[in-house]
Amino acid sequence: MKTKFLLLLLLSCFTVLGQDIDNAQDHELLTRYPESKIIYYFQKDYNELKFAVKSGKPEKEPQKWLEVSGHQTSIVYEIPLGKSTVEVMKNYQDAFKANNAEILFQCKGGECDGTNAWYSAKFFEKVYGKDNRQSNGEISHYYDFGNYHVSQRYMVGKITTADKVYYVEIGMTPTYDGKPVKVCVEVIEQEALQSGLITLNADVIKDKLEKEGKLILDGILFDTSKATLQPTSFSVIEMVGDYLNQNPKVRVYIVGHTDDIGSLDSNLQLSEDRAGAVVSALMNNYGDFGTRLTPIGVGPACPVATNETEDGRMKNRRVEIVLKKK
């Protein structure tokens, strides 16, 4: 089942003005601006694109690109006449911020070209030009976005869920003064767990715990045979703290696990001490969570791999967060 991360726009109830083209639909990630219609649409199982993530020098192409690849959905909307790019883009920006999505880059008008000019011709020409977009054969799809206008807007964002990473590009432009605004939404979808792109954050922790009830906290490491946290562990522990602060009613177990080398008693004690060390780090640095945290050590009792190999033993030495019944 696909993870749906709906970014609900400020006005979510609408009727479609006009008619979408055949076989077109909104991406599951984003709702459309109220009363807009889809005028171009296509999907590709795999495509490679470049999204701009830094303004150009005066009248030059963007200084930095983000190269993305994966399943592509490309949609062009026509916005109701009279609506400006300012209000339409603000709608998308607010939706991103409300859902803790990461905005990687945004610009408007001459800012995109690194000038004080009213337009950003080189920027949009390069982003939507034939070398980057129209080379895929969808010439009419991008035609208007390669032009220039004082009201053009551009934004690139990243959304991470438990099993996917989405890169979203939103560009918008009026075709001419007095004509409707057009919005191009590009979504590149990647399988995070298969490609190693997963980034742990509070939303990912929440999603995984609600679906599976537990999550291995990869990246929490200890000194050998000790319960002393290594400094790099705190980046992961901070994310757990963020999750607990954002979900104040949640209670969890912090569970320590070991491999099967050594005595059972020593491993049980070590796993309990390590779970306690994580709880102490959370309490001392990220909030007074009181009885919401329960440390438990189970030693080698719940392996996820064989203890006959070093690779397996390494996987078994871990800390998990487990959702506690309310």
Side-chain angles (χ1 to χ4, degrees):
M1 180 178 180
K2 290 186 177 180
T3 298
K4 291 194 175 183
F5 192 87
L6 296 179
L7 298 183
L8 299 178
L9 301 182
L10 296 181
L11 298 173
S12 58
C13 297
F14 61 90
T15 57
V16 177
L17 181 66
Q19 184 68 41
D20 290 346
I21 62 171
D22 291 341
N23 300 316
Q25 62 182 350
D26 298 320
H27 190 277
E28 62 178 3
L29 197 69
L30 293 167
T31 61
R32 70 180 73 189
Y33 189 85
E35 300 184 345
S36 58
K37 63 180 180 180
I38 298 175
I39 58 174
Y40 295 108
Y41 178 91
F42 69 87
Q43 289 185 307
K44 293 183 183 297
D45 289 338
Y46 181 85
N47 202 4
E48 297 177 342
L49 296 178
K50 293 191 300 182
F51 293 164
V53 289
K54 189 174 182 179
S55 298
K57 293 184 178 180
E59 297 184 19
K60 300 291 183 181
E61 69 176 87
Q63 296 183 66
K64 185 176 180 180
W65 297 91
L66 175 66
E67 297 184 1
V68 294
S69 60
H71 183 276
Q72 179 190 12
T73 301
S74 190
I75 308 170
V76 175
Y77 294 98
E78 186 175 274
I79 305 301
L81 189 63
K83 299 296 182 180
S84 70
T85 58
V86 176
E87 56 190 309
V88 177
M89 182 58 89
K90 185 179 186 303
N91 210 254
Y92 281 100
Q93 291 167 337
D94 289 346
F96 267 63
K97 292 174 184 177
N99 288 276
N100 299 314
E102 184 180 0
I103 296 178
L104 303 177
F105 174 71
Q106 55 186 322
C107 66
K108 57 184 179 180
E111 292 177 0
C112 301
D113 264 1
T115 72
N116 292 323
W118 60 270
Y119 59 83
S120 48
K122 293 295 183 182
F123 182 92
F124 281 90
E125 179 183 284
K126 288 294 183 180
V127 171
Y128 294 103
K130 60 183 179 64
D131 294 335
N132 190 25
R133 302 294 166 84
Q134 296 179 8
S135 58
N136 65 14
E138 304 292 341
I139 296 176
S140 59
H141 190 93
Y142 299 107
Y143 179 78
D144 291 317
F145 296 89
N147 297 323
Y148 56 89
H149 192 280
V150 64
S151 297
Q152 283 176 314
R153 297 289 188 273
Y154 183 84
M155 181 172 71
V156 175
K158 178 182 178 182
I159 298 169
T160 304
T161 69
D163 53 2
K164 292 184 184 294
V165 174
Y166 299 90
Y167 292 95
V168 182
E169 178 196 64
I170 298 172
M172 54 187 66
T173 184
T175 48
Y176 300 99
D177 288 340
K179 298 291 184 180
V181 168
K182 290 183 179 179
V183 177
C184 183
V185 175
E186 299 274 22
V187 181
I188 294 292
E189 177 182 326
Q190 300 174 338
E191 298 289 340
L193 296 180
Q194 294 180 9
S195 57
L197 294 167
I198 190 69
T199 301
L200 191 66
N201 59 37
D203 291 324
V204 170
I205 295 173
K206 183 176 186 294
D207 195 25
K208 290 289 284 186
L209 289 182
E210 289 180 352
K211 285 184 175 180
E212 302 177 19
K214 65 179 182 178
L215 172 66
I216 296 175
L217 298 173
D218 289 325
I220 293 184
L221 303 174
F222 299 87
D223 292 348
T224 303
S225 300
K226 296 180 180 179
T228 304
L229 283 161
Q230 294 184 6
T232 55
S233 303
F234 281 86
S235 61
V236 178
I237 293 173
E238 181 181 5
M239 295 298 100
V240 177
D242 289 344
Y243 162 72
L244 292 169
N245 284 314
Q246 291 177 27
N247 300 273
K249 294 183 179 181
V250 163
R251 298 187 300 162
V252 299
Y253 297 105
I254 301 296
V255 186
H257 298 261
T258 67
D259 58 30
D260 200 21
I261 303 299
S263 70
L264 176 60
D265 287 345
S266 63
N267 279 324
L268 285 171
Q269 188 62 57
L270 179 60
S271 63
E272 184 177 337
D273 290 344
R274 287 180 169 180
V278 173
V279 169
S280 295
L282 286 165
M283 297 282 284
N284 293 334
N285 296 282
Y286 305 108
D288 182 5
F289 302 115
T291 58
R292 295 172 58 199
L293 302 179
T294 303
I296 297 178
V298 297
C302 301
V304 293
T306 178
N307 278 301
E308 299 300 319
T309 66
E310 178 52 38
D311 181 64
R313 291 191 292 270
M314 181 176 65
K315 292 177 181 178
N316 290 333
R317 298 189 294 266
R318 69 196 190 278
V319 174
E320 292 182 342
I321 180 172
V322 177
L323 196 60
K324 193 174 183 180
K325 186 178 180 180
K326 295 179 180 179

